[in-house]
Amino acid sequence: STEASTINMLLPEAGTLKNFFQQPFTAPTAGSYAHTIREGAVGSIADTSLSCVEATTGNGICSDTSHTASVTAGDLFDWAVAPSSPTGGRGPVMGLDLVPSTSGNFDFFYNNQSTVTNNATRYGYLNGIGVQNATESVMQSVVPISMTISSFTAYDTTPPGAGQSVTYTLRQNGADTALTCTVSGASATTCTATGGVAFAAGDTIDYKIVTSASSSNLGDIMISTVGNTSGAAGPSTGAQIRLFGGHVIIRGGHIYIQ
């Protein structure tokens, strides 16, 4: 049966997914695995045309550089694998490019993999997959170049509850910035903060997550961030973000999640 990734990523802005590559640690000796990128609004994720079939030769590498998929801000995306009588193989990693619609933008993705209880203050990474922490210093990243954070979107699969809330705040050098948003009530699950916060090389950056006294326990929190190295105007050419399943590394003009 088809297996979908247990880790979704939240898209903070519109753009295009393209250049899908997949490589297993070991290729199957018989049969195959079909790999597909899925994307869509919350509760409506569906297959895109980005797909490839893992081969029994060439280390099992497959790719799709012919198709693209348009994405919308607030959508989720993940990766599905469908086996067809395979023998051996598995342990795949995947990658693809995300080109934001706004020239010069680049995005960061954080997915929390543990529960945030009520009446708590926790901190999360700017980018990566990991567990939130009550100690801010272990969640901070160092900004490698001057850049501007123009917005972020936060999402959790569980609403805070009637009369309850969770507040997300971008932090700079251990202090709150003006970029903050709050999810409140029994049905809301997402919020977006907009503005512009300038970071210098060497600054620290992270997120603060504050839950109200009786909020629901929050689990699959996602925070996705839009940055630009030249402020609102952006460079003359669009930045590409290279996405892989796992940890996030910033290198050059690309973001690698591997």
Side-chain angles (χ1 to χ4, degrees):
S1 60
T2 300
E3 301 173 6
S5 169
T6 58
I7 299 174
N8 297 130
M9 288 295 181
L10 174 69
L11 293 158
E13 59 179 331
T16 302
L17 296 175
K18 65 177 188 177
N19 296 334
F20 174 42
F21 287 83
Q22 180 284 146
Q23 178 176 353
F25 294 138
T26 56
T29 57
S32 64
Y33 295 96
H35 301 265
T36 304
I37 297 299
R38 308 192 313 156
E39 187 276 340
V42 175
S44 301
I45 295 179
D47 290 352
T48 71
S49 59
L50 284 162
S51 64
C52 67
V53 177
E54 186 178 326
T56 56
T57 59
N59 297 321
I61 297 172
C62 70
S63 64
D64 183 350
T65 59
S66 300
H67 297 98
T68 62
S70 297
V71 298
T72 301
D75 283 0
L76 301 177
F77 76 94
D78 63 14
W79 167 30
V81 182
S84 178
S85 303
T87 301
R90 296 303 289 168
V93 294
M94 73 87 178
L96 73 160
D97 286 342
L98 166 60
V99 183
S101 296
T102 300
S103 179
N105 278 2
F106 47 85
D107 301 335
F108 301 90
F109 302 87
Y110 170 61
N111 189 303
N112 172 60
Q113 294 292 290
S114 65
T115 299
V116 179
T117 60
N118 57 27
N119 198 30
T121 298
R122 295 291 184 268
Y123 299 92
Y125 295 123
L126 169 69
N127 56 282
I129 299 168
V131 176
Q132 45 71 34
N133 201 291
T135 302
E136 183 173 20
S137 60
V138 302
M139 307 306 288
Q140 290 172 321
S141 300
V142 177
V143 175
I145 57 174
S146 297
M147 67 179 184
T148 297
I149 300 299
S150 59
S151 67
F152 74 82
T153 299
Y155 167 75
D156 189 278
T157 54
T158 305
Q164 303 301 313
S165 65
V166 55
T167 299
Y168 303 88
T169 303
L170 179 70
R171 301 270 286 177
Q172 180 179 32
N173 297 325
D176 289 353
T177 71
L179 278 184
T180 184
C181 69
T182 299
V183 178
S184 302
S187 59
T189 55
T190 188
C191 66
T192 297
T194 59
V197 179
F199 283 79
D203 284 353
T204 61
I205 186 170
D206 61 294
Y207 278 101
K208 182 172 71 175
I209 305 165
V210 179
T211 56
S212 60
S214 300
S215 70
S216 303
N217 290 338
L218 306 179
D220 196 12
I221 291 174
M222 304 172 213
I223 306 175
S224 295
T225 308
V226 178
N228 195 296
T229 54
S230 300
S236 58
T237 58
Q240 291 184 8
I241 296 147
R242 196 152 293 162
L243 305 171
F244 292 78
H247 301 290
V248 181
I249 302 170
I250 304 173
R251 185 180 301 145
H254 301 268
I255 298 173
Y256 299 84
I257 306 179
Q258 63 185 23

